[in-house]
Amino acid sequence: MRYPRLRIYRSVFRSDLFAPSCLPRNPPQFRCQFARYSHDSSPYADPVPSPDDSIFVAMSGGVDSSFVAHLLASKYTNVTGVYMANWTQQRTPRHEIKRPISHRMSKNPEQLRQYREKEEQRNKDAMEIGVSCTETEWNDVCGVCQDLKIPAIRVNLEKEYWTDVFQPMIDRYSIGRTPNPDVDCNRYIKFGKLYDIIENTANQHGASKWWLATGHYARAAIHKETGRTHLLKPKDQIKDQTFYLATVLRSRLDNVLFPMHQYTKKEVRELAIKMKIRTAYKPDSQGLCFVQPTVSAKAAKQAFREGRKISSSTSGYRHFRDFLSEYIPEKEGHIVTYKGVVVGKHPGLWSATIGQRNGITPGKIKGHEEDGPWYVIEKRQETNEIVIAPGRNNRWLSSSAMTCAEWSWLVDDEKISEVYELAKHGQLTVRCRPLQNPMITIKQIEDLGNGNIRLEFIGSAHGIAQDQYGVLYYRDIVLGGGRTESIELAYRENLQPAETEQEPHSGVA
């Protein structure tokens, strides 16, 4: 069978999306100077605070935010470190998390002995911390601020985090969806409640201008012609975090600094070591404050010097699935193939993700000619079933369009019609999950009203799950984002079987 050759057409459409509007050049509300970025031809410039501006650095106790604090404290006098206490639960000791030992390892005495020795050492490293995640981070923030001789402020936002981020996440997981709490945390907590607190604090102290700086790998830059602030991709495309910032209110970008946009993660780590920042060897966080590493600073430093990566298997991260099981009641159901053959059981719809390899034996299953491995293609809330199909790129994981709810634009209202035109000419792309590469080209955008939009793809997208986010880009510019409400399969055959057949084969998701 011959397939048509892919032809690439270069559109002659020219958009004035970022051309001067009614705003004057360099409007007075931008009191900062312009900093050049990489070369003179760039249409963007980074905001540079004035010497008397107040700068608040959101610090998590990690190397990135500590590095930002060092950069700004070396240039400005009115710098303050701010720590958000969002989660104060104690860590679960690693030995209390019952992780299964593989059958192969259990039959090998030497491998089993080595495994138990490593587990014992990990437990000792975890006990060196001995306090909650929040207290550990707060101590690191205080230490860094003390080194820099700048004040440190602790803000308790645990109630707001629980109400606006954590409880909605649990509710959505419990019905089989796949939420992204990092996106919600940025919108409602860091650039929501914390932003409001900093603004009130700055106003009470009579600050003429104030800034909120974070360690995100993203860029908030001012368009030289329009004076508008846009969210752009950073230098380090591997660490690009614009996906998590796409739903932040666009008016708040005017007071935000993202100094990390001009560095790669490797450069930051090396510079932090040279600058002798006390958190230089600290392992990267998972983004979720309740799923953090329990590795000690000593162990992290040793691993870095030996060139070893500190991952979830070596640092004592809590298994996210183990964590969810503490908050979501178990609701056992069947794992079925796309033909309706029951092959195993699952503890709840939350235990699997669309596109995830299921863990079922990769051999043949009765009633199916295909071999495995098998992947999750659907989660049925009505029957509490997880549906699987063979092959990672099977047809049931391909989508031709998606509908996003609670859409948030980062462009001016009068420019949205031009965004729609860019889509018709194939100049926009969308990410359906963080760091998705390549991104999906958009064919058409349809406004469904009430903050809902439909994105139709050129070609198809793989493995989109409900309650993930769709983020729209024009080249390096972030245009907006919204929560995935529904998808349209490229393959439209009904998956629901006429009757269910039992298969004597066991397995779990």
Side-chain angles (χ1 to χ4, degrees):
M1 177 180 178
R2 297 185 61 185
Y3 293 91
R5 180 177 297 176
L6 176 65
R7 297 183 182 275
I8 300 176
Y9 297 93
R10 300 190 181 278
S11 172
V12 297
F13 178 73
R14 295 291 183 269
S15 170
D16 62 344
L17 178 63
F18 305 108
S21 61
C22 58
L23 286 177
R25 185 181 180 88
N26 302 349
Q29 61 263 34
F30 293 95
R31 298 180 54 260
C32 57
Q33 306 168 3
F34 282 128
R36 299 191 183 279
Y37 176 70
S38 71
H39 51 79
D40 292 342
S41 61
S42 171
Y44 288 95
D46 295 323
V48 178
S50 300
D52 58 339
D53 288 352
S54 296
I55 302 176
F56 298 85
V57 183
M59 301 181 66
S60 63
V63 61
D64 293 332
S65 58
S66 299
F67 182 73
V68 169
H70 273 257
L71 285 180
L72 296 174
S74 65
K75 296 179 181 180
Y76 303 98
T77 56
N78 299 329
V79 178
T80 302
V82 182
Y83 174 72
M84 297 188 303
N86 296 337
W87 190 264
T88 58
Q89 269 203 343
Q90 295 286 322
R91 284 195 177 101
T92 300
R94 187 181 175 92
H95 65 274
E96 291 183 11
I97 301 176
K98 297 180 180 179
R99 300 195 178 185
I101 298 176
S102 68
H103 177 74
R104 181 179 178 182
M105 183 181 293
S106 65
K107 295 295 183 180
N108 189 318
E110 181 59 22
Q111 285 188 2
L112 186 59
R113 182 188 64 80
Q114 293 178 3
Y115 173 80
R116 286 173 175 169
E117 287 181 355
K118 290 180 180 179
E119 282 292 291
E120 184 178 353
Q121 183 59 46
R122 290 184 184 121
N123 292 336
K124 289 180 180 179
D125 291 339
M127 293 305 292
E128 288 182 23
I129 298 177
V131 292
S132 71
C133 173
T134 296
E135 295 307 317
T136 303
E137 293 173 347
W138 171 238
N139 290 338
D140 288 337
V141 169
C142 289
V144 171
C145 290
Q146 184 177 0
D147 295 340
L148 297 174
K149 296 180 173 55
I150 63 174
I153 299 175
R154 175 169 172 163
V155 180
N156 192 320
L157 298 176
E158 186 172 3
K159 180 180 178 181
E160 291 81 359
Y161 186 86
W162 182 281
T163 303
D164 296 330
V165 178
F166 185 76
Q167 190 59 56
M169 179 194 75
I170 294 297
D171 293 341
R172 289 167 182 167
Y173 266 115
S174 64
I175 61 174
R177 298 201 169 200
T178 309
N180 192 318
D182 288 337
V183 176
D184 293 337
C185 183
N186 281 324
R187 178 177 174 87
Y188 298 112
I189 306 300
K190 183 167 289 184
F191 298 95
K193 186 63 176 179
L194 179 65
Y195 183 100
D196 294 336
I197 292 174
I198 290 176
E199 183 176 33
N200 292 333
T201 301
N203 292 335
Q204 289 174 5
H205 288 79
S208 56
K209 177 68 176 180
W210 63 272
W211 303 88
L212 170 59
T214 76
H216 285 98
Y217 285 84
R219 187 183 181 206
I222 302 170
H223 193 268
K224 296 176 183 178
E225 295 295 326
T226 66
R228 297 294 195 189
T229 303
H230 296 149
L231 181 63
L232 309 172
K233 295 179 184 177
K235 173 183 177 180
D236 192 339
Q237 296 293 300
I238 297 176
K239 290 291 291 184
D240 181 3
Q241 294 176 315
T242 54
F243 181 92
Y244 303 105
L245 299 166
T247 63
V248 172
L249 296 178
R250 68 172 181 261
S251 61
R252 308 216 156 181
L253 295 176
D254 294 339
N255 289 75
V256 168
L257 298 174
F258 293 136
M260 300 295 287
H261 76 82
Q262 55 192 326
Y263 300 95
T264 65
K265 180 67 180 188
K266 182 180 179 181
E267 290 171 345
V268 169
R269 185 75 72 176
E270 292 173 349
L271 288 171
I273 293 172
K274 290 180 181 179
M275 297 164 67
K276 297 182 178 180
I277 299 176
R278 64 172 63 203
T279 58
Y281 295 98
K282 195 170 181 179
D284 294 343
S285 69
Q286 291 287 78
L288 305 176
C289 57
F290 41 81
V291 187
Q292 295 294 336
T294 55
V295 68
S296 66
K298 179 180 178 182
K301 185 174 182 179
Q302 183 65 25
F304 186 86
R305 288 179 171 176
E306 296 175 1
R308 293 185 288 108
K309 183 178 180 181
I310 301 176
S311 63
S312 59
S313 61
T314 60
S315 66
Y317 281 104
R318 297 191 67 184
H319 240 246
F320 188 58
R321 177 173 164 176
D322 294 331
F323 175 81
L324 287 178
S325 67
E326 299 174 9
Y327 291 89
I328 304 176
E330 185 171 308
K331 187 178 180 181
E332 194 175 83
H334 287 138
I335 301 172
V336 302
T337 69
Y338 67 96
K339 289 186 178 180
V341 179
V342 177
V343 296
K345 295 182 178 181
H346 63 79
L349 294 178
W350 52 268
S351 64
T353 303
I354 299 296
Q356 170 189 328
R357 184 167 175 169
N358 186 253
I360 297 297
T361 303
K364 288 187 177 180
I365 294 177
K366 181 181 177 181
H368 293 271
E369 297 179 357
E370 311 97 332
D371 289 330
W374 296 74
Y375 291 82
V376 177
I377 61 172
E378 186 184 5
K379 294 191 283 186
R380 296 173 178 157
Q381 185 180 358
E382 298 79 9
T383 58
N384 195 32
E385 291 177 325
I386 292 177
V387 187
I388 61 174
R392 182 179 183 277
N393 295 317
N394 66 70
R395 55 191 174 182
W396 294 286
L397 289 177
S398 295
S399 305
S400 59
M402 64 189 293
T403 298
C404 294
E406 303 171 11
W407 187 268
S408 177
W409 286 108
L410 290 178
V411 297
D412 296 333
D413 293 341
E414 62 270 17
K415 298 295 184 182
I416 294 177
S417 60
E418 294 185 27
V419 172
Y420 285 30
E421 285 299 315
L422 286 171
K424 292 178 181 178
H425 290 79
Q427 296 192 29
L428 302 185
T429 54
V430 65
R431 273 182 177 153
C432 303
R433 52 187 174 273
L435 298 179
Q436 180 180 13
N437 189 29
M439 293 190 286
I440 308 158
T441 304
I442 296 297
K443 180 179 181 180
Q444 180 178 333
I445 302 176
E446 182 180 356
D447 186 355
L448 303 179
N450 298 321
N452 301 316
I453 69 168
R454 178 180 177 272
L455 303 175
E456 185 177 350
F457 311 140
I458 295 178
S460 61
H462 177 268
I464 302 177
Q466 287 180 306
D467 267 358
Q468 290 179 331
Y469 277 82
V471 176
L472 198 62
Y473 293 83
Y474 172 63
R475 299 175 183 172
D476 287 343
I477 306 166
V478 185
L479 302 178
R483 182 173 50 79
T484 304
E485 183 63 29
S486 63
I487 60 172
E488 299 173 25
L489 292 181
Y491 177 73
R492 301 182 183 278
E493 179 178 295
N494 185 15
L495 292 178
Q496 188 67 38
E499 59 183 51
T500 299
E501 178 183 355
Q502 295 288 337
E503 160 69 19
H505 183 86
S506 61
V508 294

